[in-house]
């Protein structure tokens, strides 16, 4: 299984954070522009990034209610979706900015993907869609949130570890049918700790334990492959569109940074 190139991005995040003279939102647009220039160079080199316009829509609340679990979605225009092989989600001012990379398999495309993220400071979010012919299409949104990467867990750590690995599937419109992709949401019980949190009882630091790779297959074909990091919220949850005939098996396989493996299986039977 592949993994994100985290360490250079983490190092860059720490360096920029230490160099700041005040809160991120007080340093103005030049600082944010410089931050993004550093990140895009690190992640994409000297490749051209084009403004996506209406082709890629990145949606998140302007002011988050919970910085530790911010809903975010990325939608691709229908003509573009089959031509996109990956989408990268970047949270500029997080300690680990590259939150996730989504790659489509034969059983799905990336027309609509969603997750919940941690946001550590007022920042820009960027979504970069890479097409099969190598173009990079860029969408961005500013978000007001702070402290998400060090926010306390929503439940007791011991209880969260006991639930670790339980998988859940939601099919709001039922199973797919021929020519009718449907929305799917999968969730995995996992503390997904960031390494920046404090145990509220012991007052000791909680080590980082996070899902780093997740693969979803349907009928033996890969639907979605996700590389993720500490910027994904507790109990990682991902939504996407699934295509294919009904009565197939959906398989979820996941691996965390401690080399633990988890899985879930569901038979998607048609109503008839």
């Amino acid at each position: 299984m592949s993994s994100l190139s985290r360490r250079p991005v983490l190092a860059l995040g720490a360096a920029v954070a230490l160099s700041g003279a005040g809160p991120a939102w007080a340093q103005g647009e030049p600082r944010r522009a410089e931050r993004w220039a550093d990140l895009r160079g690190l992640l994409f080199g000297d490749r051209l990034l084009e403004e996506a316009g209406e082709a890629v829509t990145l949606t998140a609340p302007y002011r988050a209610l919970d910085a530790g679990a911010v809903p975010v979605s990325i939608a691709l225009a229908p003509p573009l979706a089959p031509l996109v092989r990956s989408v990268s989600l970047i949270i500029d001012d997080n300690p680990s900015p590259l939150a996730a990379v989504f790659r489509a398999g034969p059983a799905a495309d990336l027309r609509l993907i969603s997750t919940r993220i941690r946001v550590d400071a007022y920042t820009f979010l960027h979504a970069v869609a890479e097409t099969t012919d190598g173009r990079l299409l860029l969408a961005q949104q500013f978000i007001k949130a702070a402290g998400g990467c060090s926010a306390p867990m929503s439940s007791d750590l011991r209880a969260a570890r006991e639930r670790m690995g339980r998988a859940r599937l939601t099919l709001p419109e039922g199973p797919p049918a021929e020519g009718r992709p449907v929305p799917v949401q999968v969730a995995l019980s996992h503390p997904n700790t960031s390494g920046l949190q404090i145990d509220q009882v012991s007052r000791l630091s909680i080590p980082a334990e996070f899902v780093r790779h997740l693969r979803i297959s349907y009928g033996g074909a890969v639907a979605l492959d996700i590389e993720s990091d500490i910027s994904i919220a507790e109990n990682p949850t991902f939504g996407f569109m699934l295509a294919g005939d009904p009565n197939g098996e959906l398989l979820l396989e996941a691996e965390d940074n401690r080399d633990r493996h988890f899985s879930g299986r569901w038979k998607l039977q048609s109503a008839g």
Side-chain angles (χ1 to χ4, degrees), residues 98-116:
L98 184 55
V101 179
F102 303 88
R103 296 183 177 90
D109 60 36
L110 299 173
R111 72 185 67 192
L112 180 62
I113 50 180
S114 63
T115 188
R116 297 179 302 122

Side-chain angles (χ1 to χ4, degrees), residues 53-127:
E54 296 181 355
V56 181
T57 302
L58 173 60
T59 303
Y62 178 66
R63 186 182 296 274
L65 296 177
D66 180 355
V70 181
V72 59
S73 65
I74 303 165
L76 305 181
L80 176 67
L83 306 177
V84 171
R85 62 185 176 194
S86 72
V87 174
S88 298
L89 175 61
I90 301 145
I91 310 167
D92 291 14
D93 282 292
N94 268 18
S96 181
L98 184 55
V101 179
F102 303 88
R103 296 183 177 90
D109 60 36
L110 299 173
R111 72 185 67 192
L112 180 62
I113 50 180
S114 63
T115 188
R116 297 179 302 122
I117 59 175
R118 296 181 169 115
V119 178
D120 213 45
Y122 286 26
T123 186
F124 276 102
L125 309 180
H126 287 92

